[in-house]
Structure formats: C-alpha cells, structure tokens
Amino acid sequence: MAQALPSSDAGTGRRGLTYPPFEAPAWGEAVEVAPGVLWLRAPLPMTLDHVNIWALADGDGWMVIDAGLKTSVTLEGWERALAGPLGGRPVTRVLCTHMHPDHIGLAGWLCERFEAPLLMSRLEYVTGRMLLADAGPAPEAGAAFYRRAGWTEAQIQAWREGYGRFGKAVAPLPDGYRRVREGDRLTIGGEVWRIVVGDGHSPEHLCLWREADGVFISGDQILPRISSNVSVWPTEPEADPLDDWMRSLARLRALLPDDLLVLPSHGEPFTGVHARLEALTRGHQVALKRLLRTLSAPCRAVDVFPALFARPVDDGVLGMATGEALAHLNYLKNKGLAQGRTDDDGVVWWTATQQETGE
C-alpha cells in the first residue's frame, strides 16, 4: 500500500503541481476526468482513507483499473456504481496496477461476476497469489527479521497473531491471468494505452499512458501528496527497493512529458509530473543525509524513525515504517555508507561509514 505515515520531505511538497477543479466522487458515484475515463473512489479503513479506481469506456462495457479492498462497504459501493454511473454495462476487463490489497481486493470478485479476464504483470500476479496462499503459521524467520530491527517481544507476538491478514482483505484471484508488460499497447474503447512499468513500491507496477491526449494512470508509482511506501520485507531481507525506486523515478522523469494529466491511486488528479518526480527524489535524498547524521552513533532500525518520518510511529504502521527504514539502511549499506553489526541478542546496530550520500 501507499505509505500511511508520510516521510518528512518526500510526501508533503506540492510546489509545481496543479489540481484541475474536479470534486472527488462519493463511493458509488463517478466523475468524468477525461474522455471515456471515469473516476471512482473507494473508502479504506485506515489513515489513508481511500483508493482511486478508474473505469475506461471499452466498447459496450468498462475496463476497470484496480478494485478496492474486500470489505462489505466496498461491495455495496460497487453495486451502486455498476447500476448507477456505469449504467448497468458489463465489466469487460480488470487490470490491477499492482498486488497490494487496496488494489486487488475485489478484482477476483469482479472477474468472476462478469467472466472478465484479469490483466496484471507477471511478478505482481505471482506475488499476489503467493501471499494469498501464505495463511500461516507465522514463520520464525519473520520473527527474527523484526527482532533484528529492534522490535519488542510484545510487538513480534502481535505480528504473529495478525499474520495472514492479506488473505482476509483480498478475494481469491482467478486461476489464470493475461500478462501485461513494459511497452505493451492495449486498445481500450478504440484508444491506445501504452504500458509503463515502475519499480520499488512493488515488484512490477503497471501504469497506463494514453499518449494521444496525455492521460497517465499512475497507480501508486506517482502520488501527489504522499510518498509511496518503499520497504524491505522478511521474504527478501537483503533487498534494495529504494535503489529500484530512485532509478524508476529517474526513468519516468526522462520518459514522460510534463503536460500529462496524472490520475493517481491516492489523492487527486494533477498536472506537473516532472516537479513531483523531482520532489520525490529530493525528499529521499534529504532523508538519506539526515539518516547518515543519525547513524553517527549506533542505531537499530526502529531508532531511525525520527530521521525519516514527520510523525511518531505507532503500532498501526510499525511494519511499514520498519520496512521503509530498512530500505534506506540497505541502500546506504550498498553504497558503502553504512554498516550493520549484530549483537548477542540478534539485534542489528547500524553506524555510518561516511557522512555524505553523493546523491
């Protein structure tokens, strides 16, 4: 999911962005933001309280981009939307930008109801299926991962008890899917949309670009007001997703024209994509420098939260905050700027080896 606890720099800048005068729709209603493109907004039961869904006119029906979390409220809103602004016309295809629950939660339900195919990238589909199948019990390798980061035994026990929540928020995915990859062109309602893949927030995130009129569905890859969560998880503890993220931001900056209408998964449609990409990059660079200063004395991952986040971290976002901290620490380690030492209790203490990132 996108980050519910914004970074102190990466998530809050609005300079250079323009927000067209659309009013966000109530759930079950829709707003047309571009020819053949409807904006729907489903609620989320968390600090980040909504996810945007896009319905693209597709012949006699609609191609749906993302589906919302599997909750009774989301289901009720879908019934209103299908009968109301979608005019009782069928869903022809469902495309999920990535496999996080707020995006794929009801994708399987829509596909089954309308006998519609699911379109995803391979890594997102396979990862989503893996997480759905992994219902528990909680692996001890995961407990050791969070112990290394500095979690208390009570926090680890709470993680064990909540393990498998992914499956509770996601309806079963179809057994098969249609693979979508970088550079593909999809014809939707007679219009061509180009697929652009991002990285770092999730393994193979899909964006859609209608080059003819500059409409860009960005998913969580480019958000206007917050920074997407970039995390290390127990399944790949040595991963460097922040490097993937920074490279992806640079690639998007070089690829995309600045006059796009960006349709994000959270927040409002906006223009000024270059300014936003530059702000996201700069925010992480500033955070890395602040983190290096913090690492002048040995720190656990949980000790560096003030260097990265603008608000205190509570248990509700502890997992994402820890993953984000480890992403920054692994990035510095791979640049030769920080190192970790494991003590006798299995806790990793991080220190800086240099004080400049070179970014």
Side-chain angles (χ1 to χ4, degrees):
M1 291 187 179
Q3 186 175 316
L5 183 68
S7 300
S8 50
D9 291 287
T12 56
R14 302 183 188 179
R15 182 178 298 175
L17 303 191
T18 300
Y19 296 89
F22 302 122
E23 184 174 348
W27 181 218
E29 300 177 1
V31 173
E32 186 173 48
V33 295
V37 181
L38 297 186
W39 175 19
L40 300 90
R41 173 174 279 192
L44 297 175
M46 55 194 73
T47 302
L48 183 61
D49 63 3
H50 71 274
V51 60
N52 295 327
I53 296 167
W54 311 98
L56 312 182
D58 191 24
D60 294 332
W62 301 95
M63 180 170 177
V64 170
I65 312 299
D66 292 333
L69 204 64
K70 188 188 77 171
T71 68
S72 59
V73 172
T74 315
L75 281 165
E76 291 166 3
W78 263 120
E79 296 292 356
R80 292 193 300 272
L82 290 165
L86 300 187
R89 293 155 58 187
V91 172
T92 58
R93 293 176 277 182
V94 178
L95 183 147
C96 292
T97 57
H98 60 299
M99 54 78 191
H100 291 160
D102 52 331
H103 298 263
I104 67 168
L106 283 177
W109 174 79
L110 283 170
C111 290
E112 181 179 14
R113 174 166 176 162
F114 292 98
E115 298 183 352
L118 174 66
L119 284 68
M120 293 183 73
S121 66
R122 175 181 286 170
L123 284 175
E124 299 290 344
Y125 176 77
V126 170
T127 305
R129 287 291 300 272
M130 176 192 73
L131 291 170
L132 277 171
D134 192 6
E140 282 308 305
F145 173 87
Y146 289 117
R147 190 173 292 111
R148 288 195 297 272
W151 283 24
T152 66
E153 290 304 314
Q155 289 168 332
I156 293 170
Q157 182 58 30
W159 167 79
R160 286 193 180 101
E161 293 169 358
Y163 193 79
R165 283 180 294 185
F166 187 96
K168 296 177 182 178
V170 177
L173 291 175
D175 292 332
Y177 78 112
R178 295 182 183 176
R179 184 184 180 190
V180 181
R181 68 187 89 188
E182 172 70 38
D184 283 355
R185 262 83 174 171
L186 302 181
T187 300
I188 307 168
E191 301 284 346
V192 176
W193 293 76
R194 174 179 170 181
I195 297 298
V196 177
V197 170
D199 198 358
H201 174 62
S202 66
E204 194 181 359
H205 183 295
L206 298 179
C207 305
L208 293 89
W209 179 11
R210 191 164 70 184
E211 294 177 274
D213 62 352
V215 178
F216 188 78
I217 298 175
S218 67
D220 280 358
Q221 198 67 32
I222 310 173
L223 300 176
R225 301 183 190 275
I226 61 173
S227 176
S228 297
N229 181 254
V230 178
S231 277
V232 172
W233 301 103
T235 48
E236 192 180 355
E238 299 300 320
D240 192 355
L242 184 56
D243 187 66
D244 296 334
W245 177 252
M246 300 290 269
R247 291 176 186 274
S248 189
L249 294 180
R251 176 178 172 273
L252 291 170
R253 173 64 175 81
L255 175 68
L256 301 176
D258 195 35
D259 60 352
L260 297 177
L261 173 64
V262 181
L263 307 181
S265 286
H266 307 282
E268 297 76 40
F270 70 95
T271 61
V273 66
H274 287 182
R276 187 57 187 149
L277 290 166
E278 290 161 6
L280 288 167
T281 301
R282 184 171 58 252
H284 283 292
Q285 291 170 344
V286 170
L288 286 163
K289 291 181 179 179
R290 196 164 48 235
L291 177 57
L292 276 171
R293 290 195 294 270
T294 299
L295 296 180
S296 60
C299 294
R300 305 164 300 171
V302 297
D303 298 327
V304 306
F305 292 163
L308 300 176
F309 306 115
R311 298 195 298 272
V313 172
D314 59 27
D315 285 346
V317 293
L318 179 62
M320 285 198 298
T322 301
E324 184 107 2
L326 289 167
H328 284 75
L329 291 164
N330 281 2
Y331 181 91
L332 291 177
K333 179 183 72 173
N334 289 338
K335 297 291 186 185
L337 300 171
Q339 60 187 3
R341 178 186 60 81
T342 305
D343 67 17
D344 293 340
D345 296 320
V347 179
V348 177
W349 294 85
W350 294 85
T351 54
T353 59
Q354 298 181 41
Q355 286 298 314
E356 290 296 332
T357 69
E359 294 291 337

